[in-house]
Amino acid sequence: MDGTVIDYAAVFQALPGMVALLTPDLVVADANVEFLRGTGRSREQVVGRSLFEVFPENPHDPAATGMRNLEASLRRAVTTGERDAMALQRYDVENPERPGEWDERYWSPVNTPVLGPDGSVVLVVHRVEEVTELIRARGRRDTSRVGSRARVLEAELYTRARELQQLNERLRQAHAREREVALALQEAMLPARPQVKYRQVAVRYRPAVGALNVCGDWYDLVDLVGGNRIGVSVGDVVGHGLEAAGVMGQLRSALSAASRVAGGPAQALDVLGRYAHVVDGAESATAVTTFIDFDDRRITYSSAGHPPPVLVHRDGRVEFLDRATDPPLDARPEPTPRPQAGTRYGAGATLALYTDGLVERRHEDIDTGLTRLAESLARHRDEDPEFLADAVLMELLPPGGATDDTALVIVRL
């Protein structure tokens, strides 16, 4: 660029299509010249008012669904943060020159959310293409055989568009029901509060963008038998959706039970690996588990193909617990004893376990993400675990959300 300042307001007004900007409450924040011309409304009649106050449903047509369909599409865009393209819609508009008379109009709308710095929807770009004249032109040719056929094709097009709209609505309802099941699974399998006596712990779970809110990542905290000890684990099952969530629940429960009776984290992963061998969908699953002895101030750990836990000492020194890493669960045909290592820590240190959604990015080396995590943990090491967990997620996850699930456990030692 040569330093030219772009007047985006002027660009918006000059757009060749009909475009309106809506707030998340569906109030018109602005409308370009083409939108005002195409709807026959002035700026004063449109801006600052609810879209459906300006363009209500035709009260003389009991079968009209245009307003209801459009509102549903706009609210989906606001809720999901994703673009929503609609099928051809009939949406009649009151004639501005003859109040009380309604003109039959056909539209093809697309609703695109605009995200703010925090990833929330701040505006919706409502773009519509009017096809009324096309529909009418086809209808005017019905005096000939060709025109009659065109009329049939037009009716077929509109019918199929309506059927597509109804099918999409049924699919969305089915997705909503599946999401309710997913949320119930999340609450049952990944409790928001750690189920251990030790309270200097924070846990976080963030689903991938577009996921059902339950996927394959998991965490677990368990009180261990003998002494002042807890086990802390995280794992990752390949895939998304309810199937991956079901496998996740099985592995999490199995490791939780094994940790209570195992002599150490390696033995607990040995048991989990044998169990994963007979669980469909557990192929290539990863896990890491740590046993923390608060009396001895020692962490013992073992990893099955998982990114290493991070230990941040009180003075800011960062230690990756990567001296006991083995292949993922069910990677070997025959079970083999897994390695185990240990390290000591001083009072006030911080331990972080996480899944790869926190540190992996496309077209970026994994070491870059690990370095970013280490720097964030060290920078906020004096903060409360809850604040620290939020700070790490804010600094490492993209504003719109990650494309992979993320689990994070912070333990203040």
Side-chain angles (χ1 to χ4, degrees):
M1 295 292 289
D2 59 0
T4 302
V5 177
I6 300 176
D7 186 346
Y8 285 100
V11 172
F12 173 71
Q13 291 300 327
L15 290 174
M18 298 173 60
V19 183
L21 296 180
L22 310 178
T23 70
D25 295 328
L26 309 187
V27 172
V28 181
D30 201 355
N32 72 348
V33 173
E34 285 297 310
F35 185 91
L36 299 174
R37 184 195 61 78
T39 59
R41 302 296 191 273
S42 67
R43 181 171 302 279
E44 292 73 20
Q45 291 174 312
V46 173
V47 175
R49 299 177 62 191
S50 167
L51 180 68
F52 301 112
E53 179 186 354
V54 181
F55 304 107
E57 196 78 88
N58 184 353
H60 307 301
D61 183 359
T65 60
M67 188 181 80
R68 183 167 66 250
N69 294 338
L70 177 57
E71 183 177 9
S73 172
L74 289 166
R75 295 203 183 281
R76 279 194 300 273
V78 172
T79 302
T80 65
E82 297 178 358
R83 178 177 178 269
D84 196 275
M86 301 181 66
L88 177 69
Q89 299 289 318
R90 175 180 172 180
Y91 193 153
D92 296 348
V93 176
E94 187 174 17
N95 191 310
E97 298 177 358
R98 296 186 295 276
E101 293 187 16
W102 295 75
D103 296 332
E104 183 178 312
R105 309 283 284 273
Y106 294 85
W107 314 87
S108 178
V110 178
N111 302 305
T112 305
V114 178
L115 305 181
D118 62 351
S120 63
V121 175
V122 295
L123 288 171
V124 177
V125 178
H126 173 53
R127 179 176 63 82
V128 288
E129 179 181 358
E130 186 176 3
V131 294
T132 305
E133 288 303 318
L134 175 63
I135 299 296
R136 289 174 178 169
R138 287 177 173 174
R140 285 195 293 268
R141 293 183 299 185
D142 62 2
T143 55
S144 67
R145 184 176 178 181
V146 174
S148 180
R149 184 181 179 187
R151 184 69 171 178
V152 171
L153 290 175
E154 172 229 310
E156 182 73 10
L157 172 64
Y158 184 66
T159 300
R160 293 292 175 262
R162 291 290 298 274
E163 290 175 350
L164 178 61
Q165 184 80 16
Q166 293 169 1
L167 176 60
N168 285 339
E169 186 60 32
R170 288 196 295 270
L171 289 174
R172 290 186 184 100
Q173 291 173 357
H175 181 83
R177 288 192 295 270
E178 188 176 3
R179 185 174 183 275
E180 289 179 4
V181 175
L183 289 171
L185 278 173
Q186 181 185 34
E187 185 175 352
M189 294 189 292
L190 296 178
R193 298 183 64 83
Q195 305 298 303
V196 292
K197 296 176 183 177
Y198 190 70
R199 285 290 172 254
Q200 291 295 306
V201 176
V203 296
R204 296 291 186 272
Y205 177 84
R206 296 291 183 270
V209 175
L212 288 173
N213 261 36
V214 166
C215 300
D217 287 18
W218 53 271
Y219 57 82
D220 188 52
L221 297 97
V222 57
D223 288 314
L224 301 175
V225 177
N228 184 19
R229 303 187 304 150
I230 65 171
V232 184
S233 310
V234 295
D236 186 358
V237 173
V238 175
H240 298 282
L242 294 178
E243 183 177 353
V247 176
M248 172 266 284
Q250 294 179 73
L251 296 184
R252 176 181 179 271
S253 298
L255 182 57
S256 183
S259 297
R260 286 179 164 87
V261 297
Q267 188 179 27
L269 287 183
D270 285 341
V271 173
L272 183 64
R274 288 176 170 83
Y275 179 69
H277 194 64
V278 298
V279 176
D280 290 337
E283 301 84 3
S284 301
T286 66
V288 61
T289 184
T290 61
F291 284 15
I292 305 172
D293 188 326
F294 293 104
D295 293 333
D296 197 33
R297 289 187 177 175
R298 181 175 180 81
I299 301 172
T300 310
Y301 61 92
S302 182
S303 173
H306 202 83
V310 183
L311 176 63
V312 181
H313 295 273
R314 186 70 184 83
D315 60 2
R317 181 170 56 91
V318 175
E319 179 181 354
F320 286 97
L321 307 188
D322 56 4
R323 293 184 292 111
T325 300
D326 221 26
L329 302 171
D330 196 31
R332 295 193 178 102
E334 297 296 330
T336 303
R338 293 185 178 272
Q340 179 173 297
T343 189
R344 295 190 177 277
Y345 65 87
T350 301
L351 177 67
L353 285 79
Y354 54 95
T355 54
D356 55 11
L358 187 65
V359 294
E360 286 189 350
R361 298 291 177 268
R362 290 181 181 179
H363 313 301
E364 182 179 271
D365 190 89
I366 183 65
D367 289 340
T368 301
L370 292 174
T371 299
R372 193 161 46 231
L373 172 61
E375 291 174 348
S376 180
L377 289 168
R379 183 162 52 250
H380 301 290
R381 66 184 183 277
D382 295 329
E383 303 291 347
D384 174 86
E386 295 288 343
F387 181 93
L388 174 56
D390 289 337
V392 168
L393 291 180
M394 182 176 297
E395 293 181 1
L396 268 70
L397 293 185
T403 56
D404 197 5
D405 328 323
T406 299
L408 172 66
V409 181
I410 300 290
V411 183
R412 178 59 43 77
L413 303 169

